[in-house]
Amino acid sequence: MTIGDIAKLLDCEVLCCADRLDSEVHTACGSDMMSDVLAFVKDQAVLLTGLLNSQVVRTSEMMDIICIVFVRGKKPDESVVKLAGEKNISILSTSSRMFEACGILYENGLRGGS
Amino acid sequence: MSVLQLHYDVPGDDFTRAGEASSAIKNKLKQMGIAPDAIRNVAIATYEGEINMVIHANGGTIDVTIDADSVSLVLRDTGAGIPDVELAMREGYTTAKEEIRALGFGAGMGLPNMKKYTDEFELKSEVGKGTEVRMKVFLKK
């Protein structure tokens, strides 16, 4: 699956790095707790979250996550989007809720990874 | 390979800037061609440390020494210190306030995580004086 496929499946607005929609992703995680992302995530390329601050981007950077999907219709402010742009991390926003968004992506082949 | 030393100041008053030092360290290690697994371990350890410094200690410093075999990290702050280190090392134990948890941190995983992702971990803390964390990540050949 590509980041572009995620955008289509979840009917996302692409807020950043639209030029990277062809990037392949195979694994994802969903969490509002960045502490847990740092503690339990390994080799996931996509983070689904409802948390909006800049540390979502920082955490993703540390974990080599290349795409953040903000769920429940949330959109981060401009400074967060700008930071993601500097780190080449795609930002998508979907009106789907967390459970629904994860379910749709899982159904279409994205997995939790190791 | 010669030894490279880096020093970073972590400002204590700005949560949005927490992670800048870790980001700079990560980029430096990438430029040096260090293995991705080792880079991620260093990144997580320094980032958790930075977040701790901002949440609990009003900032601090990070010193990084990179040689052919390892990346050594020394994190220092002059914060309140940790009264019970054994308790602080326990997964899930946290003294972070609800407002920190609302920011996505304070799950009590910071220190355990730093230990988990590094090959050597040593924490010294004195109440009222501050905390020093020394960590090492070995670079596998």
Side-chain angles (χ1 to χ4, degrees):
Chain A
M1 182 182 299
T2 65
I3 293 174
D5 293 333
I6 294 175
K8 273 193 211 120
L9 285 165
L10 301 181
D11 195 17
C12 292
E13 188 178 335
V14 180
L15 301 177
C16 165
C17 304
D19 56 324
R20 300 179 87 84
L21 295 180
D22 290 340
S23 299
E24 281 279 343
V25 290
H26 302 285
T27 52
C29 62
S31 180
D32 288 352
M33 201 69 193
M34 293 306 107
S35 290
D36 283 349
V37 175
L38 290 161
F40 300 111
V41 167
K42 197 175 176 238
D43 291 326
Q44 275 83 354
V46 182
L47 168 65
L48 294 96
T49 187
L51 189 73
L52 284 177
N53 63 49
S54 58
Q55 297 309 333
V56 175
V57 177
R58 296 270 183 218
T59 299
S60 299
E61 182 192 5
M62 299 311 150
M63 303 306 284
D64 302 308
I65 286 165
I66 61 167
C67 173
I68 302 168
V69 181
F70 290 101
V71 296
R72 308 191 279 274
K74 293 186 174 188
K75 285 181 199 168
D77 70 29
E78 195 48 45
S79 64
V80 175
V81 175
K82 187 168 170 279
L83 184 66
E86 289 167 14
K87 311 294 180 193
N88 293 320
I89 295 171
S90 298
I91 301 272
L92 310 180
S93 175
T94 177
S95 59
S96 296
R97 296 177 185 187
M98 178 71 94
F99 182 77
E100 193 186 23
C102 292
I104 291 168
L105 296 182
Y106 191 90
E107 203 173 43
N108 283 276
L110 208 59
R111 289 294 177 263
S114 56
Chain B
M1 187 176 135
S2 58
V3 175
L4 181 69
Q5 290 191 303
L6 307 165
H7 174 86
Y8 299 90
D9 292 313
V10 178
D13 53 352
D14 190 352
F15 182 75
T16 62
R17 288 185 61 196
E20 281 185 1
S22 302
S23 175
I25 294 164
K26 189 175 184 198
N27 285 332
K28 192 79 198 168
L29 297 178
K30 251 191 212 169
Q31 279 170 21
M32 295 173 73
I34 285 171
D37 279 5
I39 294 180
R40 189 185 298 173
N41 290 344
V42 171
I44 294 169
T46 55
Y47 182 57
E48 291 278 21
E50 258 192 278
I51 293 286
N52 272 350
M53 282 178 192
V54 174
I55 293 174
H56 297 292
N58 198 31
T61 60
I62 302 178
D63 284 279
V64 188
T65 307
I66 306 154
D67 62 29
D69 302 317
S70 65
V71 179
S72 303
L73 306 161
V74 183
L75 282 62
R76 290 189 189 93
D77 68 61
T78 51
I82 302 168
D84 187 337
V85 171
E86 199 185 323
L87 189 60
M89 289 304 300
R90 216 175 277 173
E91 284 190 10
Y93 177 79
T94 181
T95 57
K97 295 184 179 74
E98 189 51 44
E99 63 203 54
I100 297 300
R101 295 179 65 80
L103 295 170
F105 291 91
M109 296 303 292
L111 288 173
N113 235 2
M114 288 158 80
K115 186 171 182 183
K116 176 176 150 190
Y117 285 99
T118 54
D119 297 306
E120 287 178 12
F121 176 95
E122 188 191 0
L123 187 152
K124 285 182 196 158
S125 189
E126 202 174 329
V127 173
K129 292 210 165 157
T131 300
E132 181 180 290
V133 183
R134 288 178 175 268
M135 296 175 284
K136 197 174 256 198
V137 173
F138 290 115
L139 306 173
K140 288 157 196 87
K141 294 277 159 54

